[in-house]
Amino acid sequence: MTQIIIPSDCGNAPKKNFLKDFYTAWAKDDLDFCKKHLDDHIIWEIVGQNTLSGIENFEKQLQHYPIRNASKMVIETIITHGTDASVDGQIWTNEGAVFAFCDVYKFKGFKGFSLKSIKSFWVELPTGSGCRGN
């Protein structure tokens, strides 16, 4: 089971609350929840690796993504403004790797929680690097 640490806030930001739920579902391998909130033509750019589009390709790529094999996830910051959002933190995999990440989101509109695009920055950190959440 993944240990999930997410900061609390005033609770008056629906998109922040959605992103907390999205990351929790992602870490717990609840793909149905995640897919339900993706635009049919979702574009996911994984910086330095590839760019893909569509829910089916998103699901295939997710099979190889560290968050699905996490022993621990720490969300440090969630920022939302209009149709834009970003989330950063760290992931510890069951194999002992540690990743720092920042994901930048575009929502399909001002209302609702349909994700139009994701741009992901992931960096593997040296073991024992002393990153927060250790």
Side-chain angles (χ1 to χ4, degrees), residues 6 15-16 20 25-26 30 35 92 106 111 116 129:
I6 301 175
K15 286 188 175 155
K16 276 187 176 185
K20 288 178 185 182
W26 205 350
D30 183 355
K35 291 187 322 187
W92 285 258
K106 286 261 186 212
K111 294 187 179 198
K116 180 179 170 181
S129 63

Side-chain angles (χ1 to χ4, degrees), residues 26-37:
W26 205 350
K28 291 183 176 182
D29 210 23
D30 183 355
L31 294 183
D32 289 335
F33 179 90
C34 295
K35 291 187 322 187
K36 181 172 84 171
H37 295 286

Side-chain angles (χ1 to χ4, degrees), residues 60-88:
K60 285 179 188 174
Q61 180 65 40
L62 197 56
Q63 301 297 322
H64 309 287
Y65 219 55
I67 198 167
R68 291 195 68 213
N69 190 27
S71 61
K72 182 178 181 180
M73 175 180 68
V74 175
I75 301 292
E76 289 191 15
T77 311
I78 301 173
I79 300 170
T80 63
H81 183 75
T83 59
D84 300 320
S86 68
V87 178
D88 77 293

Side-chain angles (χ1 to χ4, degrees), residues 27-69:
K28 291 183 176 182
D29 210 23
D30 183 355
L31 294 183
D32 289 335
F33 179 90
C34 295
K35 291 187 322 187
K36 181 172 84 171
H37 295 286
L38 301 176
D39 181 73
D40 290 340
H41 306 288
I42 181 80
I43 296 172
W44 187 13
E45 178 184 357
I46 304 166
V47 176
Q49 293 183 29
N50 62 8
T51 299
L52 52 95
S53 63
I55 292 174
E56 185 177 301
N57 289 325
F58 178 92
E59 188 172 10
K60 285 179 188 174
Q61 180 65 40
L62 197 56
Q63 301 297 322
H64 309 287
Y65 219 55
I67 198 167
R68 291 195 68 213
N69 190 27

Side-chain angles (χ1 to χ4, degrees), residues 68-130:
R68 291 195 68 213
N69 190 27
S71 61
K72 182 178 181 180
M73 175 180 68
V74 175
I75 301 292
E76 289 191 15
T77 311
I78 301 173
I79 300 170
T80 63
H81 183 75
T83 59
D84 300 320
S86 68
V87 178
D88 77 293
Q90 294 89 36
I91 297 284
W92 285 258
T93 69
N94 289 318
E95 289 79 28
V98 181
F99 293 87
F101 70 89
C102 180
D103 295 323
V104 180
Y105 293 92
K106 286 261 186 212
F107 286 89
K108 190 172 180 177
F110 288 101
K111 294 187 179 198
F113 305 111
S114 181
L115 295 170
K116 180 179 170 181
S117 69
I118 306 169
K119 185 174 190 176
S120 295
F121 298 86
W122 284 71
V123 177
E124 187 168 1
L125 302 174
T127 306
S129 63

